[in-house]
Amino acid sequence: MLTFDHVHFYYKKGQPIIENMSFTITSGEFVAIVGANGCGKSTIAKLIDGLLLPKEGRVTFESLDTSRPTDLDKIHEHIGFVFQNPEDQFITTTVMDEVVFGLENIRVPREEIQSRLDHALQAVQMENYLDAMPHQLSGGQKQRVAIAAIVAMRPQIIIFDEATSMLDPEGREQVLSIMKELHHQGMTIIHITHHMEEVLSAERILLIHKGRLEFDGNPMIFFETVNVGDYQLEQPFAVRLNTMLHPPSTLLMVDWKEMIRLQWSIN
Ligand SMILES: Nc1ncnc2c1ncn2[C@@H]1O[C@H](COP(=O)(O)OP(=O)(O)OP(=O)(O)O)[C@@H](O)[C@H]1O
Ligand SMILES: [Mg+2]
C-alpha cells in the first residue's frame, strides 16, 4: 500500500505545488494521474519514489517512509520509473546490457540474471533484439526496452510518467498493452498521461488541480461528472461522440462504459 498522508510540497517557499494531499493506492491497482500542464503530476511521481521529500506530511510504501534515508534503497527497488523520453534512460550500448546493468546494480545472483533477462524481454516482445543498440531502435522499441529494464528488477509498482507521449499510435498501443498485462500479473500501475483514451484503461483516476486532488474515482464517473476542458484535457472519442448526440444515446453511453467493463472482465 502506497500512502500520501497530508503531503505539502514546494520548490520555492511561498509557492506551493502540492497542498495537503492525501490518498492511498493499494497493491495491484491501475491508477491514472491526470491534470493540466504543470499541475504537479511529475512532482507527485518523484514524491512517491522518494526523489523529492515532502515539506510536511508523509509518503509511505508498506512500512517504508521516504523521509528515512535508510529506506530509500528499498523504495527505489520496489518502485520502478519509466519516463517520457526513453533516450534519457539508456546507460549502456546494447539491449541486453541495458537490462543486466540494473540487475547487477541490485546484486541479483549471476545464475538468476539470465532468466530475469529472458523473461523481461519476452514481456515486452524484444527478445530478438539482445545485441541491438538502443539508440538505433524505434521510439516504441526503445520505450519497451526501458520497461524491460524496470520489469527485470521485479518492482511492485511501476510509475509511467508520460511514457507514451513521444510515441506513434502503434508504439503507444504496445506500451499500453504491456501496462495492462503487467497489471494483470498483479503489478501496481501508475500511469501519468494527457491521453484520455488511455485513461479508459485505468480502474481509477486521480485528477490534480492547483496542488490538490480534485477527483478520485473510476473513469465512468470521471467522464460523467468532470468537465475535462476545464483542466486542459480532452474527452475520449467515444465519450465525445456520445455527448454530441442529442439526446445522448443510451446505446453509446453503454458502449464506452461497456469498453471499460469488458476490459476488466476479459482480463
Ligand atoms: N526543479 C524545479 N524547480 C522549480 N520549479 C519546478 C521544478 N520542477 C517543476 N517545477 C514547477 O512545479 C510545477 C509542477 O511541475 P511538474 O513537473 O510536477 O508538473 P506536471 O504536472 O508534471 O507538468 P507536465 O504536464 O508539463 O509534465 C510547475 O509549475 C513547474 O514549473
Ligand atoms: Mg510531468
Side-chain angles (χ1 to χ4, degrees), residues 34-35 205-209 212-215 222 226 231 233:
V34 301
I205 296 180
L206 303 183
L207 169 67
I208 312 301
H209 182 60
R212 294 177 186 274
L213 196 54
E214 188 91 347
F215 175 92
F222 179 78
V226 175
Y231 307 96
L233 301 169

Side-chain angles (χ1 to χ4, degrees), residues 112-124:
E112 203 184 313
I113 286 185
Q114 186 65 45
S115 67
R116 285 212 198 187
L117 172 68
D118 294 344
H119 171 265
L121 288 178
Q122 277 160 18
V124 299

Side-chain angles (χ1 to χ4, degrees), residues 11-12 17 35-44 46 161-162 192 194:
Y11 291 100
K12 277 190 211 127
I17 305 290
N37 281 320
C39 72
K41 302 179 296 294
S42 296
T43 303
I44 291 172
K46 289 173 191 159
D161 190 355
E162 308 273 1
I192 298 174
H194 275 100

Side-chain angles (χ1 to χ4, degrees), residues 180-191:
K180 288 184 199 166
E181 180 53 29
L182 293 173
H183 168 259
H184 183 53
Q185 291 168 12
M187 208 175 274
T188 309
I189 304 292
I190 300 177
H191 181 28

Side-chain angles (χ1 to χ4, degrees), residues 26-69:
T26 48
S27 173
E29 277 193 278
F30 191 145
V31 180
I33 299 183
V34 301
N37 281 320
C39 72
K41 302 179 296 294
S42 296
T43 303
I44 291 172
K46 289 173 191 159
L47 285 163
I48 292 175
D49 201 32
L51 296 171
L52 294 173
L53 298 177
K55 303 295 180 186
E56 277 177 56
R58 272 156 38 105
V59 177
T60 55
F61 172 65
E62 311 294 357
S63 61
L64 305 168
D65 188 325
T66 60
S67 68
R68 249 182 259 134

Side-chain angles (χ1 to χ4, degrees), residues 238-255:
V239 179
R240 217 160 53 229
L241 193 63
N242 185 78
T243 321
M244 273 159 53
L245 296 170
H246 296 291
S249 145
T250 333
L251 200 65
L252 273 169
M253 180 72 91
V254 169
D255 233 357

Side-chain angles (χ1 to χ4, degrees), residues 12-246:
K12 277 190 211 127
K13 216 174 160 83
Q15 296 175 16
I17 305 290
I18 303 296
E19 292 190 79
N20 199 26
M21 190 173 287
S22 296
F23 61 82
T24 293
I25 295 176
T26 48
S27 173
E29 277 193 278
F30 191 145
V31 180
I33 299 183
V34 301
N37 281 320
C39 72
K41 302 179 296 294
S42 296
T43 303
I44 291 172
K46 289 173 191 159
L47 285 163
I48 292 175
D49 201 32
L51 296 171
L52 294 173
L53 298 177
K55 303 295 180 186
E56 277 177 56
R58 272 156 38 105
V59 177
T60 55
F61 172 65
E62 311 294 357
S63 61
L64 305 168
D65 188 325
T66 60
S67 68
R68 249 182 259 134
T70 47
D71 285 355
L72 282 179
D73 278 353
K74 275 246 153 6
I75 289 171
H76 297 323
E77 222 174 294
H78 291 310
I79 305 179
F81 223 126
V82 181
F83 299 95
Q84 182 171 34
N85 186 353
E87 304 267 349
D88 295 346
Q89 304 169 67
F90 292 129
I91 305 158
T92 68
T93 50
T94 68
V95 166
M96 176 167 71
D97 286 349
E98 201 50 43
V99 178
V100 170
F101 178 82
L103 297 178
E104 286 176 341
N105 229 7
I106 58 165
R107 296 194 194 81
V108 172
R110 200 143 275 286
E111 57 277 15
E112 203 184 313
I113 286 185
Q114 186 65 45
S115 67
R116 285 212 198 187
L117 172 68
D118 294 344
H119 171 265
L121 288 178
Q122 277 160 18
V124 299
Q125 294 178 1
M126 287 296 287
E127 63 271 36
N128 297 328
Y129 292 84
L130 268 180
D131 299 317
M133 295 199 272
H135 295 277
Q136 290 177 348
L137 300 174
S138 74
Q141 289 173 329
K142 281 179 192 156
Q143 201 57 308
R144 277 147 64 194
V145 172
I147 295 170
I150 301 295
V151 166
M153 314 275 273
R154 307 231 166 115
Q156 295 182 38
I157 299 178
I158 302 186
I159 304 172
F160 294 84
D161 190 355
E162 308 273 1
T164 58
S165 63
M166 291 177 76
L167 308 182
D168 59 20
E170 192 190 344
R172 201 179 293 157
E173 190 49 51
Q174 285 166 343
V175 167
L176 195 66
S177 110
I178 292 166
M179 283 185 202
K180 288 184 199 166
E181 180 53 29
L182 293 173
H183 168 259
H184 183 53
Q185 291 168 12
M187 208 175 274
T188 309
I189 304 292
I190 300 177
H191 181 28
I192 298 174
T193 183
H194 275 100
H195 292 280
M196 291 295 108
E197 309 292 334
E198 295 178 3
V199 158
L200 290 174
S201 300
E203 294 167 303
R204 177 179 172 196
I205 296 180
L206 303 183
L207 169 67
I208 312 301
H209 182 60
K210 295 192 172 159
R212 294 177 186 274
L213 196 54
E214 188 91 347
F215 175 92
D216 178 356
N218 76 44
M220 276 185 224
I221 298 177
F222 179 78
F223 290 113
E224 270 179 357
T225 59
V226 175
N227 186 5
V228 292
D230 293 348
Y231 307 96
Q232 295 172 19
L233 301 169
E234 285 183 358
Q235 285 187 320
F237 177 70
V239 179
R240 217 160 53 229
L241 193 63
N242 185 78
T243 321
M244 273 159 53
L245 296 170
H246 296 291

